[in-house]
């Protein structure tokens, strides 16, 4: 039995003292923890008064001390009593030096059990507890999911596993689920970084996202059409996909859907009724802000539809209707293939809502095939050459309009998070209201262009930037005299966000590598953001 943990710092700086696991006074109980204990200060003061000493600035350290406090009840009961005192969202794993048991508890943050060698082969059974499946995918793809308020007790000697619901105070049975991913999918397969591997996988993943049951697409479209008030919610990249979805639904299906970023969604509760539909988009299905948004919606009896990548994730299980985007494990922190799969599925749903499912499917299959053509070594080299010209710049700006405005925002996230270059995306029309003041001689500005009704306006905005010294990088189906550097993308009509974001993903990747940054592990960020 052993534990290890990489913590995204919430309390105290990243340091040895603040690293997990944390121990009780005698070093008998140890705990690793994901999430935030909201009442830790109050509990810490109580424990200090009882004579407990603390070595770290973390909220986590109170948990082993609380277990120690109840130690005479036995390990399992002591953990139950200790977590009964905690407020907040968390997943913990606890060990006791004097016991052969490992105990996990989940409330709000993900905790998944991996089971190796199948349930019947009890002699050889091995168990893994992790917050995300790729952590143990090298060993097994058979999983059991803990729900909130559940505890799992793994006994090393008996090779047994037991689940207990802490609210109902009863043991519960769990199904063993094969998630269908294999370890090879979570390997680099010859690529230097996961990010580049995942960008290249878009040759297949977009097509996989489209492979949905026609009947369920039809019935989801009907639910969207019949809802009275529909919202999109998501965070970061998934949020940008939601905003693109807002435009796509408006343009393709004539349907008004509001995008509200998940961390703000609870503030919109006044507008929710039992006829509202909330469409949540998330790669991991574990983002705390998204889960809070759907909890706020559920309180108003809103129906939840979700687009997720991780089967069995909290969002998948808590949704009334859920679509898997089938992108396979996404390991790099920067979301790439999941984003284009989400875009493909949202576009398909918009066409289905407009009663034009076949037309939408044809467009997206053609888009997937054009993405396959784009992602060749020559294309990548062309973008790498651009990265070599601009990688020492401090700032970059990206403009787009209509469907490509959200992609300007997404381009900025991609560049910021992996290369640490200051990047900002704007709606082309907003430039004159402030951002133009930021343009200096040679400032790189990307214009995302499609063959659509706003093309001329974006080109005019690019001209405005150029007139003030900016260097224009055009991502567009056709070259234009305003472009200093042209990256060609196919003309795919309403699917343009998919093809326009891909070259920027490649550019962000090469900017990171040229600046000596590891694009797979950006500083200060986590793949699944399981804290508020
Ligand atoms: C950026 C990125 C993040 C995520 C966000 C939501 O590249 O990966 O902005 O998109 O944290 O994550 P999910 O989609 O897992 O809910």
């Amino acid at each position: 039995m052993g534990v290890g943990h990489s913590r995204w710092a919430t309390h105290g700086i990243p340091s040895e003292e603040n690293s997990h696991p944390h121990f009780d006074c005698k070093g008998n109980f140890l705990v690793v923890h994901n999430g935030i204990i909201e009442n830790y200060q109050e509990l810490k003061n109580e424990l200090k008064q009882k004579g407990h000493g603390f070595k770290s600035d973390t909220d986590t350290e109170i948990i082993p001390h609380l277990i120690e406090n109840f130690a005479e009840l036995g390990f399992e009961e002591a953990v139950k009593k200790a977590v009964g005192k905690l407020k907040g969202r968390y997943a913990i794993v606890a060990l006791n030096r004097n016991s052969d048991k490992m105990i996990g508890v989940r409330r709000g943050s993900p905790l998944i059990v991996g089971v190796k060698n199948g349930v019947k082969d009890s002699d050889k059974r091995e168990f893994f507890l992790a917050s995300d499946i790729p952590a143990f995918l090298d060993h097994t793809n058979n999983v059991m999911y803990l729900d909130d308020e559940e505890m799992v007790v793994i006994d090393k000697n008996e090779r047994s596993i037991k689940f207990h619901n802490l609210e109902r105070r009863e043991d519960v049975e769990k199904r063993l689920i094969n998630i269908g991913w294999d370890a090879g999918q979570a390997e680099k397969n010859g690529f230097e970084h996961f990010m580049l591997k995942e960008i290249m996988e878009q040759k297949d993943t977009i097509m996989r996202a489209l492979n949905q049951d026609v009947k369920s697409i039809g019935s989801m479209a009907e639910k969207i059409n019949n809802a009275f008030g529909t919202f999109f919610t998501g965070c970061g990249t998934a949020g940008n996909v939601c905003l693109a979805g807002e435009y796509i639904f408006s343009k393709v299906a004539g349907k008004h859907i509001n995008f509200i970023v998940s961390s703000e969604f609870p503030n919109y509760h006044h507008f929710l009724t039992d006829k509202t539909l909330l469409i949540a988009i998330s790669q991991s299905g574990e983002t705390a802000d998204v889960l809070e948004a759907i909890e706020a919606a559920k309180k108003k009896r809103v129906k939840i539809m979700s687009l997720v990548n991780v089967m069995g994730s909290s969002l998948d299980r808590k949704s009334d209707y859920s679509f898997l985007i089938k992108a396979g494990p996404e390991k790099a922190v920067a979301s790439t293939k999941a984003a284009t799969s989400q875009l493909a599925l949202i576009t398909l749903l918009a066409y289905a809502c407009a009663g034009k499912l076949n037309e939408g499917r044809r467009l997206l299959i053609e888009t997937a095939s054009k993405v396959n053509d784009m992602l060749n070594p020559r294309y990548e080299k062309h973008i790498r050459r651009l990265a070599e010209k601009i990688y020492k710049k401090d700032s970059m700006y990206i403009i787009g309009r209509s469907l490509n405005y959200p992609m300007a925002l997404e381009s900025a996230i991609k560049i910021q998070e992996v290369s640490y270059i200051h990047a900002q995306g704007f709606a082309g029309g907003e430039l004159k209201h402030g951002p133009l003041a930021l343009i200096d001689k040679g400032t790189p500005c990307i214009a995302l262009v499609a063959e659509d009704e706003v093309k001329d306006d974006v080109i005019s905005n690019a001209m405005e930037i150029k007139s003030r010294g900016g260097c224009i990088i055009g991502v567009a189906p056709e070259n234009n005299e305003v472009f200093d550097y042209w990256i060609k993308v196919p003309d795919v009509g309403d699917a343009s966000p998919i093809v326009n974001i891909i070259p920027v993903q490649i550019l962000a990747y090469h900017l990171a590598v040229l600046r000596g940054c590891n694009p797979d592990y950006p500083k200060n960020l986590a793949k699944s953001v399981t804290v508020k």
Side-chain angles (χ1 to χ4, degrees), residues 195 233-241 262 281-291 307-310 315 330 332-336 338-339 342 410 413-414 417-418 522 525-530:
M195 185 177 173
T233 198
C235 303
T237 291
N240 291 332
V241 171
S262 298
I281 303 187
S282 169
Q283 186 285 128
S284 62
E286 299 294 353
T287 302
D289 289 330
V290 177
L291 297 178
L307 269 62
V308 276
N309 193 31
V310 181
L315 179 60
E330 193 178 64
V333 166
S335 188
T336 53
Q342 291 158 353
E410 173 54 12
I413 289 198
K414 282 291 91 68
E417 69 179 329
V418 296
L525 299 178
K527 180 65 184 157
S528 295
V529 186
T530 54

Side-chain angles (χ1 to χ4, degrees), residues 20-193:
H20 296 215
H22 290 284
F23 294 86
D24 67 327
C25 296
K26 298 195 193 98
N28 284 333
F29 299 103
L30 64 92
V31 169
V32 291
H33 155 226
N34 182 19
I36 291 181
I37 308 302
E38 285 164 7
N39 58 338
Y40 89 100
Q41 198 60 60
E42 184 189 320
L43 293 169
K44 194 169 179 173
N45 292 341
E46 276 176 29
L47 287 160
K48 273 187 182 164
Q49 275 170 14
K50 288 185 180 165
H52 292 260
F54 291 86
K55 297 188 177 118
S56 76
D57 305 317
T58 66
D59 50 348
T60 305
E61 200 183 356
I62 57 151
I63 308 172
H65 286 277
L66 278 173
I67 300 175
E68 179 183 29
N69 207 35
F70 297 111
E72 77 231 22
L73 301 173
F75 187 29
E76 274 184 58
E77 287 307 310
V79 173
K80 282 184 198 166
K81 283 273 186 204
V83 296
K85 298 246 166 213
L86 306 178
K87 289 198 182 126
R89 309 173 72 96
Y90 55 82
I92 62 161
V93 175
L95 283 174
N96 173 2
R97 243 183 239 290
N98 305 314
S99 144
D100 285 322
K101 289 178 182 166
M102 178 181 263
I103 300 183
V105 180
R106 171 189 170 138
R107 181 190 282 159
S109 298
L111 191 61
I112 304 156
V113 183
V115 183
K116 190 171 177 184
N117 281 342
V119 179
K120 289 198 185 106
D121 199 356
S122 56
D123 289 346
K124 294 181 192 149
R125 268 206 292 186
E126 290 173 26
F127 299 103
F128 304 86
L129 276 173
S131 55
D132 205 358
I133 294 164
F136 53 68
L137 198 55
D138 277 352
H139 302 275
T140 184
N141 61 3
N142 290 319
V143 303
M144 289 172 166
Y145 292 105
L146 266 89
D147 286 315
D148 284 342
E149 307 300 337
E150 284 184 351
M151 173 165 138
V152 58
V153 181
I154 295 169
D155 190 309
K156 179 184 156 196
N157 282 342
E158 294 179 11
R159 301 250 164 172
S160 66
I161 189 162
K162 183 177 87 179
F163 294 86
H164 184 81
N165 187 299
L166 295 166
E167 259 175 357
R168 301 201 306 270
R169 296 170 190 232
E170 61 185 25
D171 288 351
V172 280
E173 290 294 320
K174 290 282 160 182
R175 255 182 345 120
L176 187 68
I177 298 169
N178 184 286
I179 46 113
W181 292 354
D182 65 56
Q185 284 179 293
E187 296 296 330
K188 286 189 197 147
N189 295 341
F191 286 93
E192 204 177 332
H193 297 101

